[in-house]
Amino acid sequence: YSGASVPSSRAAASAGPPGAASARLEGTDAPEYIGNLGVKLYDGERAQFYMRLFSYARYLNQKGLDPTYTDSFGNVKEVPLRQDFQLQKFFLPFSGWFLDPKFRFYLYVWSANTAQGDPAQVVGAGNLSWVFNEHATLGMGITSLPGVRSTEGQFPYWLGVDDRMTADEFMRPSYSTGVWLKGSIVPGLNYNAMLATNMSILGVSASQIDNTIDTYSLMLNWLPTTQEFGPIGAFGDFENHQDVATRIGIHYTHSTENSQEQPGTNNIENTQIRLTDGNTIFTPNLFGPGIEVDDVRYQMMSLDAGVKYRGYALEAEYYWRHLSDFRGPGVTPGLIADIDDTGYQVQASAMLVPKLFQVYAGYSEIQGRFGDSNELRLGMNYFPKEMRGIRVNGEWLRLDDIPVGY
C-alpha cells in the first residue's frame, strides 16, 4: 500500500512550555481527523505527522465449499473448510515529512490475525521518498509493485473489504523492497516505474534472496475527462461524480523467481506463482518423478478501464501471464513448454443512497492449460456516518475451481 500523499505544512510553529503534558502538541493545534489522510498529530515548520488505522472484524462461512478437489494431474486434495470470527487485520501507518516537506516517510505495523504464529504475522515496514515536484517522486523501501490496478495504492478503497477478485489475486505481483520513480507526466497522465528485489518480500529473509535483481514493474494510467478518479483512484463512485470520470491503465511486470524467494502460503499479502489448477509451480515432482522447478521467468501484463458518473461505476481489467525458462533438478530443455494464462474481471457498483448505501457485483474468469475457473460475487456496503471511515459490508461469493485463496 503506497499511501495517500501528504500535504506540506500549513501552519507556523508556535512555542509551548517545555515538557508540557497536553494533547496540544508543540507547533500544532490539537490532533484532528482529515479525511483520506488520517489523524494529524503534528504540523510544524520542521515536520508533519499523520496516523491512520485500518482494522475490521469479520465473520466468514466457507461451509458451502466442496471438501476436496482434483487437480489437472489427477491428484485429489483436501480443502480446509472454515467458519470463524476474526479481528482479521490490524494496519497502523504513520506518514508525513521531516525537516523538509520534500522528504517523506510512510512507515507502518501490519498484522493479519488469521496467521497467528507464522513468522510474518506481524510486520514492521515502510518506505522513504523524496518529492522533486509533481512530475517525479523517488522512493525506496517496501511498497506494492504497480503490476495491476489494485496495487497502484487504492487500498482500502475497494468494493469488498480487503479481498481482491480471484483473477487479480492469481495474476498480480505483491509487495517488495525496491526503488521507484513516479509522478504525473501531464495532468491526468501518471506513471510509476519500480525496480525490486523480488515479487513478494514479506515473509522472505535476505538470506533467501539471490543476488540478481531483475524484477521490475511499470504502470501508466490516463484519466482523460476529469484528470482524477476519486481519492487514491478508488473503486466505486462514493464521491458521486457530476462529470463523467474515466480511466485507462496499462501495467507490465517481469521477474525471474526462485522457489526460496516465494513466501509461505499463509503469510501476509501472500503471492505464489501457481498453475491454473492451484498447484504452486515449485511443487516437487509436480511435472513428474524427480522433476522440480527451482527458477521460472514470470511476465505479466494487465489492461484496465473504468467510468464513474453520479454514484455509478463500471470497472474492468484484463490479464495475461507468461511463464518460461524453467530450471531445476530434472528439468531438461523443452520438457516444460511455456505457459500462457489469461483472465479478466468486471465490477459494477451503484450508490443507491448517496454517501450511505452501495451495492456491487463482480465477475471474474481465469483460463489456462491446467484448467479454467470463474467467480461471481454480490455485495453491499453501508456507511453509517456517510463517510468512508466506517462501513458494514456483506458479501456472497460463488467460486468454481478457483486456484487461489486469500
Side-chain angles (χ1 to χ4, degrees):
Y1 173 48
S2 58
S5 61
V6 180
S8 59
S9 177
R10 296 182 293 126
S14 59
S22 171
R24 196 175 183 85
L25 303 178
E26 181 183 356
T28 184
D29 296 330
E32 61 176 315
Y33 173 72
I34 298 177
N36 304 319
L37 286 172
V39 178
K40 184 175 68 175
L41 300 179
Y42 181 86
D43 190 358
E45 290 184 335
R46 296 184 178 180
Q48 186 179 79
F49 287 77
Y50 281 84
M51 181 188 73
R52 302 183 74 182
L53 173 63
F54 174 75
S55 186
Y56 62 98
R58 181 181 76 174
Y59 167 68
L60 175 69
N61 188 325
Q62 294 182 336
K63 295 178 70 176
L65 297 179
D66 294 336
T68 63
Y69 79 98
T70 304
D71 66 18
S72 61
F73 299 91
N75 302 308
V76 178
K77 300 185 178 182
E78 293 185 359
V79 178
L81 304 183
R82 287 176 50 192
Q83 181 183 205
D84 52 50
F85 298 95
Q86 292 278 351
L87 181 69
Q88 173 71 4
K89 183 171 287 185
F90 172 82
F91 178 42
L92 184 66
F94 295 87
S95 60
W97 57 266
F98 182 63
L99 296 184
D100 190 313
K102 293 181 179 294
F103 179 48
R104 308 289 178 88
F105 62 88
Y106 185 76
L107 307 171
Y108 54 84
V109 177
W110 188 341
S111 175
N113 287 179
T114 50
Q116 291 281 5
D118 289 348
Q121 188 252 326
V122 178
V123 170
N127 54 74
L128 306 174
S129 62
W130 183 269
V131 180
F132 294 97
N133 49 48
E134 69 272 20
H135 303 299
T137 295
L138 180 65
M140 181 178 289
I142 291 181
T143 193
S144 54
L145 286 155
V148 294
R149 185 182 166 196
S150 70
T151 58
E152 286 184 17
Q154 292 87 353
F155 177 80
Y157 291 171
W158 299 343
L159 295 176
V161 176
D162 197 28
D163 62 333
R164 294 176 171 88
M165 297 200 71
T166 51
D168 189 356
E169 183 66 20
F170 179 79
M171 298 287 184
R172 72 178 178 91
S174 189
Y175 293 70
S176 190
T177 303
V179 59
W180 58 90
L181 186 68
K182 65 180 181 179
S184 173
I185 300 173
V186 295
L189 183 61
N190 309 297
Y191 74 93
N192 191 347
M194 181 175 177
L195 180 65
T197 301
N198 66 346
M199 278 175 54
S200 181
I201 200 66
L202 301 181
V204 178
S205 65
S207 62
Q208 295 174 270
I209 300 170
D210 61 28
N211 59 3
T212 301
I213 296 179
D214 74 341
T215 300
Y216 55 89
S217 191
L218 311 170
M219 180 280 292
L220 186 69
N221 70 42
W222 181 37
L223 315 174
T225 55
T226 59
Q227 283 74 61
E228 54 77 43
F229 209 59
I232 62 177
F235 288 81
D237 190 23
F238 180 87
E239 287 68 36
N240 195 24
H241 283 79
Q242 294 304 297
D243 296 315
V244 177
T246 53
R247 73 160 271 149
I248 300 172
I250 183 170
H251 313 78
Y252 175 77
T253 304
H254 170 282
S255 185
T256 300
E257 288 291 298
N258 182 275
S259 57
Q260 288 195 73
E261 293 181 340
Q262 290 286 297
T265 56
N266 294 320
N267 284 333
I268 299 172
E269 283 294 347
N270 169 66
T271 184
Q272 289 277 338
I273 299 178
R274 299 178 183 274
L275 304 179
T276 54
D277 69 351
N279 280 302
T280 303
I281 194 74
F282 302 113
T283 302
N285 305 311
L286 180 63
F287 295 97
I291 299 173
E292 182 174 348
V293 175
D294 282 344
D295 297 271
V296 63
R297 178 172 296 161
Y298 162 102
Q299 298 177 80
M300 196 275 297
M301 182 185 72
S302 79
L303 299 169
D304 78 83
V307 59
K308 299 180 181 182
Y309 184 58
R310 295 190 175 182
Y312 296 91
L314 180 63
E315 299 157 286
E317 191 161 7
Y318 173 82
Y319 310 90
W320 167 78
R321 188 187 73 172
H322 182 72
L323 303 179
S324 63
D325 197 17
F326 304 96
R327 289 171 287 172
V331 180
T332 57
L335 176 67
I336 305 174
D338 291 0
I339 299 173
D340 287 285
D341 304 308
T342 59
Y344 69 90
Q345 64 183 35
V346 180
Q347 299 183 88
S349 60
M351 295 296 303
L352 297 185
V353 181
K355 307 292 185 182
L356 188 67
F357 187 70
Q358 179 186 54
V359 295
Y360 63 90
Y363 183 76
S364 178
E365 286 192 3
I366 303 169
Q367 301 96 21
R369 184 197 311 171
F370 298 93
D372 300 338
S373 62
N374 63 78
E375 167 200 4
L376 173 66
R377 67 172 62 185
L378 303 173
M380 55 74 64
N381 288 304
Y382 170 60
F383 302 89
K385 295 297 182 180
E386 300 188 5
M387 298 178 66
R388 285 187 180 272
I390 299 177
R391 66 166 157 161
V392 177
N393 171 266
E395 189 169 73
W396 171 89
L397 296 88
R398 182 188 184 278
L399 308 173
D400 187 10
D401 294 332
I402 295 300
V404 289
Y406 168 55

